[in-house]
Amino acid sequence: MTDGRIVCFGELLLRLTAPGRELLLQTGAFDVHVGGAEANVAIGLANLDHPVAMVSAVPANPLGEAAVRFVRGQGVDTAAIQRRDGRMGLYFLSVGAGLRASDIVYDRAGSSFATAPADAFDWRTILAGAGMLHLSGITPALGPAASAAAIAAATTARDLGVPISFDGNYRARLWEAWDSDPRDVLTRLVGMADTLFGNHRDVSLLLGRDFSGDGPDRRREAAEAAFAAFPNLKRIASTARHIDDADRHRIAGRIDTRERGYQTDEVVVAGIVDRIGGGDAFAAGILHGILTHRDLEATVASGLALACLKHSLPGDASLFGQGDIDAFLAGGLDVRR
């Protein structure tokens, strides 16, 4: 479905979730899922029949191998995932309930991926013939080595004419853990991107200014400012989420080009099973629309559909195909037989 495989670069993680809606270590048990923002996008795209390769590093132990097996089992090419010294990156999740928000604790310092030197990845070979490179702001937030690796990947992609998709994914706790300059690094990466996943807050961070409008007007104002600052950018996509409580969110999808913007109506997502990875599912749906040459309305509809569907599924990644998107957009909620 694409001209060349999509290459996703980022850390594979294990997510340890307190069962049900318990607090961490309330009963000392965990449910385990494989995660990671870029891997979630890779899995989402693979389930939509796109050729996808994951580039990462894991420890040569049962934890690392289990993560690789899971990703490979979803149809993602894992040949470029390295085994290196270090440890498996982890994060712990306590799922929110009612008016209690979900909470995440990271445990990924010193991981095999975070400590891999920038020159560990032969980007000219990895990106040869690729149709797209997908990165997120989580990778450069992990430390100086990962930051340099992300910049090297994007620079090589730019040199080879490979389009770049970048998800801002600002994670303050990760950036604050080392002597970092997130605005400088993220500005360099966004400056090389064709597609940006981010909202007015992400643009405010990059440009050091606020936007005074409200709702769609504010997002359009931020998009126009980003297009003016970053000549390579072709499109910006984002979700607008209103949280009523942990079980009920209202979500709209938006996409902006230099010529115009389009925002969907809100969809009520109730009975939420797992919201983690919803943004990655949205990104996969948007990229699916771009890669299959759909118009703005159909592209953002695909992104919103996958984002909403992801809230019904335990784990980090979207496992839905085109038939699921079509059924969602048609409004079919009865049993499919």
Side-chain angles (χ1 to χ4, degrees), residues 184-266:
D184 177 69
V185 173
L186 295 175
T187 296
R188 293 180 65 183
L189 290 167
V190 174
M192 292 184 275
D194 301 83
T195 300
L196 171 65
F197 293 96
N199 58 25
H200 59 281
R201 289 184 292 273
D202 296 289
V203 178
S204 293
L205 172 68
L206 293 169
L207 302 185
R209 55 169 286 197
D210 294 325
F211 299 98
S212 57
D214 191 23
D217 290 339
R218 180 168 58 185
R219 287 174 182 254
R220 183 61 194 173
E221 181 186 354
E224 290 175 347
F227 288 131
F230 302 107
N232 288 320
L233 267 185
K234 296 179 180 177
R235 61 189 70 84
I236 302 171
S238 63
T239 56
R241 181 188 297 266
H242 294 94
I243 300 174
D244 296 326
D245 58 40
D247 297 303
R248 179 186 169 93
H249 297 183
R250 291 171 284 128
I251 307 174
R254 182 177 180 88
I255 192 165
D256 285 273
T257 65
R258 292 180 177 271
E259 294 74 30
R260 68 185 181 101
Y262 172 73
Q263 184 162 323
T264 70
D265 293 334
E266 283 188 334

Side-chain angles (χ1 to χ4, degrees), residues 11 57-64 82-89 107-116:
E11 183 168 27
V58 297
N61 64 31
L63 299 180
Q82 300 181 14
R83 277 66 169 177
R84 305 186 64 88
D85 292 338
R87 53 176 290 256
M88 192 74 196
D107 180 22
R108 54 202 297 180
S111 71
S112 299
F113 180 81
T115 57

